[in-house]
Amino acid sequence: MLANKKIVLGVTGGIAAYKAIALTSKLSQAGATVQVILTEGAQKFVTPLSFQAISRQPVYLDTFDELDAGKIQHIDLADWADLFIVAPATANLIGKYANGIADDMLSTTLLATTAPVYIAPAMNVDMYQHPAVQDNLALLAKRGTHFIDPNEGYLACGYTGKGRLAEPEEIVAYLQRALSTKRPLAGKKLLVTAGPTQEQIDPVRYLTNYSSGKMGFSIAEAGAQMGAEVTLVAGPVNLPTPKGVNRIDVVSTDDMYQAVIKHYSDQDIVIKSAAVSDYRPAKQANEKIKKQSEQMAIELERTQDILKTLGEQKTTQFLVGFAAETTNVENYGKQKLIDKNLNAIVINDVSKAGIGFGSDDNEVLILVNDGTEIKIDQTSKLAIANQLLTEISRRLEDKEQ
C-alpha cells in the first residue's frame, strides 16, 4: 500500500524525534519516497544528515532557504505529497496547526497541503491531557485530520502515562491500513477476551492475577481497524474501549464463560487472550471473614475451562489461545495447542523483563496447527496484534478460495 507513495514526514522538537529516523527507514523499505521537514526544535535532537542518508532526499529546514529558485518549496512540497505525517507532533505544533499559524517550514507546508494529514502526538502525559491540547485535537479531528494515538508507558520526563510516541512499526501499519482499499477482515466477526477475572472470597477479598488486558485490547483495536465486527469480553481492567468495538464487561470466570458461549456460534475468529482464574473459592462468604488465627485455609475448586470448551464445540471458528508461561514455555504451548483443539496458540514468557503482565511490549511465538511457527521479537502489543490478525486473515482467505 505504501509502494510508490510520496510522503512528507514532519519532525518536531521532542525526545521521540529519534524514532522518526527509524520511521523514515521503514517507510522507505516499504517502497515510499520520503521527504523530511525538521523544525528548529527537532534539530536539537536529530540531524538532517541522518534523514538524508536514509531517505536519499534533501531535508527541509527553513521556509526561506529555497533549494530550487524555480519553485516555492513549501508549496511545491505540499502539492507533491500523497500523504503528510507529523511524528512526533508536539503540543506546540498541534496548537499551531489547529489555529492556522504558519511561522516555520513545517507549519507553512501543513497549511498548504491538500493531502491527508496524519498526526502522531508525543508529549508529557499532563500536557497531552490538558484541555487546550484536547480541544486542539478535537478541532483538527473535526476538520478531517487523522490521529495515531500515543502509547502508555514510561516517558522521558520520568512520568508514566499516555504520551509516548507510537512505535515506527505501529505507524507504518496504521498508514498501510488507512491506504488499503480492502480491509482484510471486512465482513468477519471477531470475538476477543482480555484481562484477568476475579473470584470472590468474601465481599472485600478476591483471587485474581496480574493481567492488564493490554494484549487483548490491542487485538480488538487492530481487528476493528481491519474491518472486523469485534466483540470484546473484558475482565476488570481500566482501559478505554477501542473505537468501533462492542465491549462486554465481566468479573468472574463464569461471567466470562457465559458471555463467550452466548456469542460463540456465529463468530469467524475467536482469540482468547484473557488470563482467567483457574481456581475459585469452593465457598464464598456473604460477610467479611474476620481474623481468627495466624493461618487461614481456603478450599479451592476448578473453574470452567473456557478454552477447552470452545475447542470441543468448535465448528468453523478459527480458535486461538494464549499461553503465558514462565518455564518450558514452548513445550507447554505445543501441548495446549493439541489438548484444546486450537487452530493456533500465542506463547509468551511472562517472566522476561519488559514483556510480562502490564507492559506495552511483548515477545511471542505463534504456533499454527499446520506446523507453521512465527517468532515475533519484542515489539509493541499492537504490532503483534496486527501481525497475528494478518496471518489469520490469510488463512481464512485461502480456505475460502
Side-chain angles (χ1 to χ4, degrees):
M1 281 74 77
L2 293 174
N4 302 315
K5 293 296 182 182
K6 295 176 288 187
I7 299 175
V8 174
L9 170 61
V11 183
T12 65
I15 186 61
Y18 77 93
K19 291 185 179 180
I21 300 174
L23 177 58
T24 303
S25 176
K26 291 184 180 297
L27 291 171
S28 299
Q29 291 173 29
T33 301
V34 184
Q35 302 224 49
V36 177
I37 303 174
L38 296 182
T39 65
E40 183 177 351
Q43 295 171 61
K44 304 292 185 181
F45 295 96
V46 289
T47 67
L49 183 59
S50 298
F51 292 94
Q52 181 176 310
I54 293 173
S55 68
R56 304 295 177 89
Q57 299 291 328
V59 176
Y60 296 85
L61 308 174
D62 188 338
T63 313
F64 302 104
D65 183 14
E66 298 289 356
L67 303 179
D68 183 344
K71 300 175 182 177
I72 300 175
Q73 66 177 6
H74 68 280
I75 300 298
D76 184 65
L77 195 57
D79 291 342
W80 172 84
D82 290 322
L83 67 90
F84 204 123
I85 179 168
V86 183
T90 59
N92 182 58
L93 180 281
I94 292 168
K96 289 198 294 186
Y97 186 38
N99 290 281
I101 298 172
D103 61 358
D104 62 6
M105 179 64 187
L106 178 54
S107 57
T108 303
T109 310
L110 266 174
L111 290 187
T113 191
T114 57
V117 175
Y118 298 82
I119 299 289
M123 65 196 75
N124 166 269
V125 58
D126 292 332
M127 291 177 67
Y128 183 71
Q129 293 174 351
H130 192 283
V133 174
Q134 291 298 312
D135 286 349
N136 287 332
L137 292 172
L139 179 57
L140 289 174
K142 187 176 180 180
R143 293 175 183 164
T145 301
H146 307 277
F147 291 96
I148 304 171
D149 287 341
N151 291 328
E152 293 188 19
Y154 182 80
L155 306 176
C157 58
Y159 285 60
T160 299
K162 190 169 186 177
R164 193 171 72 178
L165 179 68
E167 296 302 317
E169 59 269 24
E170 292 178 299
I171 296 173
V172 171
Y174 184 98
L175 295 176
Q176 287 174 327
R177 289 194 302 271
L179 295 174
S180 175
T181 56
K182 178 185 176 183
R183 295 195 291 175
L185 293 180
K188 301 296 183 185
K189 290 187 175 182
L190 167 63
L191 174 68
V192 184
T193 67
T197 56
Q198 295 176 355
E199 306 302 329
Q200 182 179 321
I201 298 172
D202 62 20
V204 298
R205 303 180 182 93
Y206 55 83
L207 301 177
T208 191
N209 57 63
Y210 293 113
S211 176
S212 66
K214 289 181 178 179
M215 188 70 246
F217 274 65
S218 293
I219 294 170
E221 179 181 350
Q225 291 174 351
M226 290 175 144
E229 180 183 330
V230 182
T231 299
L232 173 63
V233 181
V237 295
N238 185 25
L239 294 173
T241 304
K243 184 177 180 180
V245 169
N246 174 38
R247 176 173 174 173
I248 302 171
D249 288 313
V250 298
V251 176
S252 70
T253 300
D254 186 61
D255 294 339
M256 184 169 285
Y257 171 76
Q258 297 296 336
V260 169
I261 290 298
K262 180 179 179 180
H263 294 85
Y264 185 50
S265 63
D266 65 346
Q267 300 298 314
D268 298 292
I269 307 165
V270 176
I271 301 179
K272 189 183 169 297
S273 64
V276 299
S277 299
D278 295 322
Y279 293 88
R280 66 187 173 201
K283 295 182 179 179
Q284 298 177 353
N286 293 324
E287 298 180 355
K288 179 182 176 182
I289 300 172
K290 299 297 183 180
K291 289 183 289 186
Q292 297 177 350
S293 63
E294 293 300 317
Q295 296 182 337
M296 182 179 72
I298 300 175
E299 182 182 356
L300 301 178
E301 63 183 9
R302 284 294 304 268
T303 57
Q304 178 76 39
D305 190 329
I306 301 175
L307 190 57
K308 185 176 181 180
T309 303
L310 298 181
E312 293 170 347
Q313 297 184 9
K314 183 175 66 172
T315 53
T316 60
Q317 298 91 344
F318 193 100
L319 180 60
V320 182
F322 269 67
E325 303 289 352
T326 57
T327 58
N328 298 322
V329 176
E330 189 170 341
N331 289 337
Y332 283 132
K334 287 181 177 178
Q335 195 59 47
K336 192 173 183 180
L337 176 69
I338 298 169
D339 291 346
K340 304 203 175 182
N341 191 28
L342 308 179
N343 295 90
I345 190 164
V346 183
I347 309 167
N348 65 307
D349 185 347
V350 294
S351 68
K352 288 187 176 181
I355 62 168
F357 288 129
S359 65
D360 291 320
D361 291 349
N362 210 342
E363 176 182 299
V364 304
L365 175 65
I366 303 173
L367 303 179
V368 188
N369 61 357
D370 62 8
T372 303
E373 297 187 5
I374 305 162
K375 187 177 186 303
I376 306 178
D377 293 329
Q378 183 171 347
T379 186
S380 70
K381 289 180 176 178
L382 184 58
I384 291 172
N386 277 302
Q387 190 162 341
L388 171 63
L389 290 175
T390 297
E391 292 293 336
I392 294 173
S393 68
R394 288 172 182 165
R395 283 168 169 76
L396 293 180
E397 187 175 351
D398 291 342
K399 184 179 178 180
E400 292 169 356
Q401 290 178 348

